[in-house]
Every structure is written in structure tokens, then in C-alpha cells.
Amino acid sequence: MTSRREFLKRTVASGIAAATLPPVAGAAQAAGINGIAQTVLGPLDASKLGFTLPHEHIADGPYFHLPKWPKAWGGRAEFTAMAVEKLKLVRAAGVSTIVDLTTYDVGRDIRFLEEVSRKSGLNMIACTGQRFFPPNFPDVSMPSREIAGLTEFFIKEIEQGIDGTGIKAGVIKIGIVAQNVTALEEIGLRAAARASKATGVPIRTHTDAAHRAGERHAVILEDEGMNPSRVSFDHSDGSGDMDYFLGLVKRGYSLGMDHVHRGLSPDSRPSFERRAECIKLLVDAGFAGKLFLSQDSEFGGSLLPEEQKEWRDKIDPPEGMLFSTAKLIPYLKRIGVSDRDMHTVTVENPRTFFSLSPKGR
Ligand SMILES: [Zn+2]
């Protein structure tokens, strides 16, 4: 078994090597990349993204958690300091970039994200998009019923900035809750495709993979002329069905495997082992270039005392954002995934995916 220290040494070493390697020809050409990612601290040469967690939640920390313990945490300054200390541990474990998929309707605090990025040394990419759609969530969602209105909002957050700041989104997140896409979710998905094509930033969706929902999203995205190589269907490991996975990756879509830890709870299906096995099978089938690893953790919840944690905080892995580096990747290596393929998944794919593509592609 590879020790964590050895693993980290190799990850760092291969990260340095990656900077001098030519980009993966097929994927890079498909995306038409020019190698610049949009982070909360400004444009960044995408080869500097390094090891990237592409689906996490940090920006909602102050909104959800600070009001619960304002005195104990000494207010915002102490809360931020605590968050930075924890994020430095993630940085020390070899993670270099975190993509925050917290949209405005989930309490995104963009200044918090900027501050913790600056102080922790982690690159962070913020998102635009929408997680909840009316009529199910009328209190938090923008009640736009028109594609044009949402498209304009997404483009504004990508090209001008978020909430009156100059901090620009570098990815679009769309939450499709269940098996079938509702009429308003479809509007959101179409707006995402149009904003992506207009700006060059990619799309990630919340996907009900257990019911093959990615296939439904693909129909709508393709109707909008969306390039599949600019789309990742996240939470895909909830499927466990290789037929579903292979159908999507062969069409050019990426799969976010970011709920693998949920398979560790005894009654969860697919199991942790099956989710990991599917990653290995996809790598063996030649699709390492279409996979992402993350853990969709709700970071603010990890700062709460144990007895204060709510359901969302409790389904996150106890390792938090260290789950991939501490548990999942060592496990994948034990079942035979090579260092080279792991590097493709964790470093090269994010570099290509989060690079802005030429507009209109
Ligand atoms: Zn998420």
C-alpha cells in the first residue's frame, strides 16, 4: 500500500511535470482551450490550477453557519480565520484549486470566498447558475420564467462580476433535482448552454444519476448546440451502471464522481466499492479523460461542533475535503488505477475543463 506521504510526494512531483507536458491532444482540441481559468482572484494560467477538486461548497459558510454560533466564533473575523486554518490543511494535502459550486440561491458570499482563497493559498473558482427552481423553492429562486433573463444574469456574473464586485464566475452550475427535468429547470439548462457558448465557461449539473437523468440533460443541451466536452454531469457515481456511464462519455460528456463517500454508509447503493470499481472500469475503457473526483462537501458544516451538525453536514465524509486525497485515491490505486491516470483525472482534466474556450463554441 502506498503511504500518504509517498502519494503526496508523487502528486506534487507529477503536478510539476504536468506543467511542461503538452495538453492532452483530443480533449484540448475539442474544448479549443486557450489555457486561462477565471478564479476569484482573477485570470490564471490553467496549468497552475494543479490538483483540483471540481465540486465543493465553501461560499455558503457565513450564510448558514455563522448565525448559529456568532459569539462562540467571535463573529465573522474568527469564523473566517477558522475556515482559513482548515483550508490550509487541504492545501498541505496537495490540493491546489477548489471549485465552489454554490450559486446565489444557496447563500453564496463571494467576498468570503475571495478572502479565504487569498489567505489559504488555494485557488478558487466561483460559479454562476441556479440550484433551486420555482415552484418548488419560490423563496430562494429568482422567479424568471424566461431563458433570456437567466442567460443575461449568468453572463453578467461571468463577464462583469458577482453581487456588484468584480469577482467573475468561472463555471456555470445548474441543479436538476430529480429524474425528470421540470419546465423551469429546462429554462435554466438552456440559459446555461447559451451563457456558456457566449462566454466560454463550462457547465456542471447536479444530476440524479440513479435515474439516468444525464441522458435527459444531454438532449436539451444538444438541442442548444452545446459542445459535450464543456459539460460535466456531477454526482454521477450515484448510478453504478456502466451502460449509462459509457453512453455519456462516448458522446463526449464528463462525469463528476463526487459522492463516492456516500457509498460507505451501510444502506447506501451503490456501495463505496462499486462506485470505485466503476471509476476503475471507465479508466480501463480509456475514459480517464472524462472523469472528475471531488466530495461535494458543505465546508461550513465541517466547522460546526458535532452535536450541532444537521443532515447535510452529516452526510459529508468525516475527512471533509481531504476524503479524495486521504481515502479515495489511495483506494483507487490499490485496485489498480495508475498514477498516470490519476494525474489525468485530478490535474489534466480540470486544467482543460476550466480553461475558457473561445466564445460561440
Ligand atoms: Zn454540490
Side-chain angles (χ1 to χ4, degrees):
M1 187 185 137
T2 311
S3 79
R4 189 145 153 239
R5 183 185 296 258
E6 278 163 6
F7 164 69
L8 290 175
K9 237 166 43 189
R10 276 210 304 270
T11 302
V12 171
S14 51
I16 292 163
T20 57
L21 289 174
V24 187
Q29 278 161 12
I33 63 166
N34 59 16
I36 298 293
Q38 196 147 271
T39 77
V40 296
L41 300 182
L44 182 73
D45 179 336
S47 68
K48 295 199 167 69
L49 292 175
F51 186 109
T52 299
L53 297 172
H55 189 135
E56 304 295 335
H57 299 277
I58 294 171
D60 56 349
Y63 178 85
F64 278 121
H65 304 291
L66 190 54
K68 292 183 192 171
W69 289 75
K71 287 221 173 81
W73 281 341
R76 185 177 175 107
E78 273 300 311
F79 179 75
T80 304
M82 198 161 63
V84 168
E85 284 316 301
K86 196 142 192 174
L87 288 168
K88 281 182 179 169
L89 298 178
V90 180
R91 181 81 188 87
V95 175
S96 161
T97 300
I98 297 176
V99 182
D100 186 281
L101 291 188
T102 308
T103 46
Y104 77 91
D105 53 343
V106 198
R108 177 193 53 196
D109 182 330
I110 195 65
R111 285 293 185 202
F112 176 72
L113 198 64
E114 178 197 31
E115 188 174 355
V116 297
S117 171
R118 200 181 297 284
K119 290 180 174 168
S120 67
L122 281 157
N123 305 311
M124 297 210 182
I125 295 176
C127 76
T128 186
Q130 194 161 345
R131 171 66 182 84
F132 298 113
F133 288 84
N136 291 339
F137 304 95
D139 297 340
V140 293
S141 312
M142 197 161 36
S144 175
R145 269 35 176 194
E146 292 184 7
I147 300 171
L150 276 184
T151 307
E152 192 184 329
F153 171 70
F154 297 162
I155 291 176
K156 188 176 175 200
E157 292 205 324
I158 296 162
E159 294 195 332
Q160 294 176 40
I162 292 169
D163 299 339
T165 71
I167 302 169
K168 297 171 180 173
V171 60
I172 305 169
K173 149 79 172 286
I174 291 292
I176 310 290
V177 174
Q179 182 174 8
N180 293 312
V181 181
T182 68
L184 287 171
E185 286 172 342
E186 179 172 338
I187 285 171
L189 204 51
R190 289 186 184 279
R194 292 180 195 186
S196 171
K197 287 167 67 180
T199 61
V201 307
I203 297 174
R204 308 189 75 94
T205 69
H206 171 106
T207 308
D208 179 5
H211 296 99
R212 307 179 75 103
E215 292 168 348
R216 291 177 174 82
H217 306 179
V219 170
I220 296 165
L221 290 166
E222 283 166 28
D223 188 52
E224 289 288 333
M226 190 68 204
N227 176 350
S229 76
R230 305 301 287 146
V231 179
S232 175
F233 297 129
D234 288 357
H235 318 325
S236 281
D237 54 287
S239 164
D241 180 343
M242 284 301 294
D243 175 67
Y244 171 69
F245 292 146
L246 287 169
L248 291 174
V249 293
K250 283 178 183 168
R251 286 162 76 174
Y253 293 97
S254 292
L255 305 173
M257 306 307 222
D258 46 45
H259 282 173
V260 185
H261 57 280
R262 296 194 185 185
L264 287 167
S265 65
D267 47 353
S268 172
R269 293 288 174 273
S271 66
F272 169 84
E273 288 78 8
R274 175 59 184 165
R275 292 176 200 238
E277 182 187 23
C278 288
I279 293 169
K280 162 94 164 54
L281 291 171
L282 284 161
V283 168
D284 290 347
F287 293 106
K290 290 294 174 192
L291 299 175
F292 291 101
L293 301 183
S294 213
Q295 50 266 309
D296 188 22
S297 69
E298 210 284 279
F299 176 72
S302 73
L303 301 173
L304 287 172
E306 195 58 42
E307 68 277 12
Q308 289 299 318
K309 291 189 175 176
E310 295 174 0
W311 74 271
R312 183 62 180 77
D313 313 318
K314 284 189 171 153
I315 57 173
D316 284 346
E319 298 85 357
M321 283 191 215
L322 296 172
F323 177 80
S324 289
T325 48
K327 273 215 165 139
L328 179 57
I329 291 173
Y331 181 86
L332 289 171
K333 291 194 174 187
R334 281 205 296 280
I335 63 172
V337 178
S338 70
D339 290 351
R340 176 71 224 174
D341 284 327
M342 223 54 272
H343 186 257
T344 298
V345 172
T346 57
V347 176
E348 291 175 15
N349 292 348
R351 182 181 65 194
T352 306
F353 190 79
F354 293 106
S355 289
L356 302 178
S357 57
K359 294 177 184 183
R361 293 283 292 273

